[in-house]
């Protein structure tokens, strides 16, 4: 009996060593692929930090930060428009994220272009930099990072994480897809149509904003799952092809390490008290309600601990 037990003991170190080599090799492969992908995503902008901040955000100290997500609908021969503009503030201490969608037709100053126009035109005039500067000016608060997402390609990200689950509040049809009220599991193509629907929604652009939040939250949640880890190459490839950001590789690693719990609680804020106004030859603009704008900004600043 003792000899048999000794043989079993001798086998275990070899089994553990083999498992260690496999896991270590997988971790190394993932790290190499991740490094390459994040470097492809990195696109610096012409500033080191927001002029509305006295000090740079330090991720190791778990300081809150903000990010602007630009969902860009690019067409061939056209620089595109940022049809989706979402500002997110992330607070790891409170383990929460706040987000607000800014109506794309918002009438405001286009910083660097010398005009008052629809906010989503800033991207066509000056890309990520002008969009960032214009949103920061509108909200009068620091925007630390910006991410440009190709909305056509975003469906690849949804597919790469194995689809997402959302809770739909109404029956509607969009792009030949029928969306029933209740909990739905969406593919990438379905998710893109789900967030694009606006005309049938009695809440208009605000209903669309809520669907955008659901999709983003679904990707964040599904992205942490085991199935997504198994499909990591597909996830990395989809991200690298469709996302550009001024957040560096080291900063992304720090956020993943220190801020992941903040994705568990996402609160949606709204701009809904503004009014429509036609100007400049009948063009429709969204005019912000100044009191509501200030309330939202104050909430975001408080979340940033400013």
């Amino acid at each position: 009996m003792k000899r048999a037990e000794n043989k079993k003991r001798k086998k275990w170190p070899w089994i553990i060593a083999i498992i260690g080599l496999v896991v270590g090799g997988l971790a190394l492969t993932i790290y190499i692929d991740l490094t390459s992908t994040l470097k492809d995503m990195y696109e610096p902008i012409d500033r080191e930090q927001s002029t509305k901040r006295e000090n740079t955000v330090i991720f190791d100290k778990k300081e809150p930060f903000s990010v602007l997500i630009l969902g860009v609908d690019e067409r061939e021969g056209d620089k595109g428009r940022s049809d989706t503009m979402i500002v997110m503030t992330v607070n790891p201490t409170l383990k929460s994220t706040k987000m607000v969608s800014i109506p794309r037709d918002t009438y405001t100053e286009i910083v660097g272009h010398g005009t008052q126009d629809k906010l989503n035109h800033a991207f066509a005039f000056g890309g990520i930099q002008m969009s960032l500067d214009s949103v920061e000016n509108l909200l009068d608060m620091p925007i630390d990072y910006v991410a440009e997402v190709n909305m056509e390609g975003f469906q690849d990200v949804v597919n790469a994480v194995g689809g997402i689950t959302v809770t739909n509040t109404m029956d509607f049809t969009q792009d030949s897809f029928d969306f029933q009220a209740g909990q739905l599991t969406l593919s990438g193509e379905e998710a893109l149509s789900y967030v694009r629907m606006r005309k049938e929604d009695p809440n208009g652009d605000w209903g669309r904003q809520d669907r955008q939040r659901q999709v983003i939250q679904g990707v964040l949640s599904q992205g942490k799952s085991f199935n997504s880890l198994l499909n990591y190459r597909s996830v990395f490839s989809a991200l690298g092809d469709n996302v550009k950001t001024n957040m560096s590789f080291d900063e992304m690693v720090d956020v993943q390490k220190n801020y992941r719990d903040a994705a568990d609680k996402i609160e949606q804020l709204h701009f809904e008290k503004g009014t429509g106004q036609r100007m400049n030859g009948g063009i429709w603009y969204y005019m912000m309600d100044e009191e509501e704008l200030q309330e939202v900004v104050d909430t975001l600043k408080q979340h940033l601990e400013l």
Side-chain angles (χ1 to χ4, degrees):
M1 289 292 293
K2 288 184 178 179
R3 294 178 64 184
E5 289 176 1
N6 287 337
K7 285 183 179 180
K8 287 182 180 179
R9 287 197 192 100
K10 290 178 180 178
K11 286 181 180 179
W12 278 112
W14 287 101
I15 294 173
I16 292 172
I18 291 171
I19 292 174
L21 287 172
V22 172
V23 173
L26 177 61
L28 178 60
T29 301
I30 291 176
Y31 178 78
I32 292 172
D33 286 349
L34 177 62
T35 303
S36 176
T37 298
L38 296 187
K39 286 182 177 178
D40 288 342
M41 291 167 57
Y42 181 57
E43 188 170 284
I45 59 176
D46 189 23
R47 73 174 195 185
E48 292 185 6
Q49 70 178 56
S50 170
T51 56
K52 296 184 181 296
R53 274 199 185 275
E54 293 182 5
N55 300 300
T56 304
V57 174
I58 301 176
F59 290 141
D60 285 343
K61 293 184 178 180
K62 295 187 176 182
E63 296 178 347
F65 72 95
S66 59
V67 59
L68 168 66
I69 299 175
L70 298 171
V72 180
D73 206 351
E74 297 184 49
R75 300 175 178 84
E76 188 174 350
D78 184 6
K79 195 170 183 179
R81 299 284 192 278
S82 53
D83 284 341
T84 301
M85 291 170 284
I86 298 174
V87 172
M88 302 175 66
T89 56
V90 184
N91 189 313
T93 303
L94 298 176
K95 296 182 179 180
S96 67
T97 297
K98 294 186 186 296
M99 59 185 291
V100 62
S101 295
I102 305 175
R104 59 182 182 174
D105 295 324
T106 298
Y107 186 71
T108 189
E109 178 184 355
I110 306 301
V111 177
H113 195 254
T115 59
Q116 297 272 335
D117 206 334
K118 293 186 178 185
L119 183 58
N120 72 328
H121 288 181
F123 187 86
F125 295 147
I128 284 181
Q129 182 78 55
M130 192 169 288
S131 295
L132 176 63
D133 291 341
S134 299
V135 170
E136 196 172 59
N137 179 70
L138 171 67
L139 300 183
D140 190 27
M141 59 171 275
I143 304 294
D144 301 302
Y145 296 96
V146 60
E148 175 194 340
V149 180
N150 178 355
M151 293 306 293
E152 284 291 339
F154 187 71
Q155 57 189 313
D156 297 334
V157 178
V158 174
N159 286 331
V161 299
I164 59 170
T165 299
V166 299
T167 300
N168 186 26
T169 59
M170 60 174 286
D171 296 342
F172 68 89
T173 299
Q174 176 73 22
D175 301 329
S176 77
F177 293 113
D178 292 322
F179 297 98
Q180 302 299 312
Q183 191 172 80
L184 303 175
T185 299
L186 306 179
S187 67
E189 189 176 3
E190 290 169 333
L192 188 60
S193 294
Y194 182 72
V195 299
R196 278 181 168 168
M197 194 283 282
R198 182 175 57 165
K199 293 182 179 178
E200 292 184 39
D201 196 325
N203 293 319
D205 208 40
W206 294 279
R208 181 170 177 258
Q209 290 170 19
D210 187 62
R211 288 189 290 278
Q212 291 169 353
R213 176 195 59 78
Q214 289 185 56
V215 169
I216 290 173
Q217 192 166 1
V219 169
L220 291 174
S221 176
Q222 191 69 7
K224 297 189 296 184
S225 73
F226 183 65
N227 287 335
S228 295
L229 177 60
L230 294 178
N231 297 323
Y232 77 90
R233 284 186 185 274
S234 298
V235 175
F236 290 173
S237 176
L239 289 173
D241 290 342
N242 297 296
V243 179
K244 297 296 180 184
T245 179
N246 66 322
M247 185 176 287
S248 70
F249 171 77
D250 289 340
E251 289 170 331
M252 290 186 204
V253 171
D254 285 340
V255 168
Q256 172 64 15
K257 180 174 64 177
N258 298 315
Y259 293 73
R260 68 175 68 184
D261 290 342
D264 293 335
K265 180 183 178 183
I266 299 180
E267 179 188 353
Q268 173 87 44
L269 307 176
H270 297 278
F271 289 118
E272 53 191 357
K273 294 182 180 178
T275 57
Q277 183 173 330
R278 293 192 179 277
M279 301 184 296
N280 302 328
I283 298 174
W284 192 90
Y285 297 92
Y286 181 81
M287 313 301 288
M288 281 282 188
D289 179 271
E290 292 299 325
E291 184 176 342
E292 180 184 54
L293 173 61
Q294 191 59 54
E295 288 176 356
V296 170
V297 170
D298 288 344
T299 299
L300 295 177
K301 284 184 176 180
Q302 184 178 13
H303 198 235
L304 288 174
E305 299 179 4
L306 295 176

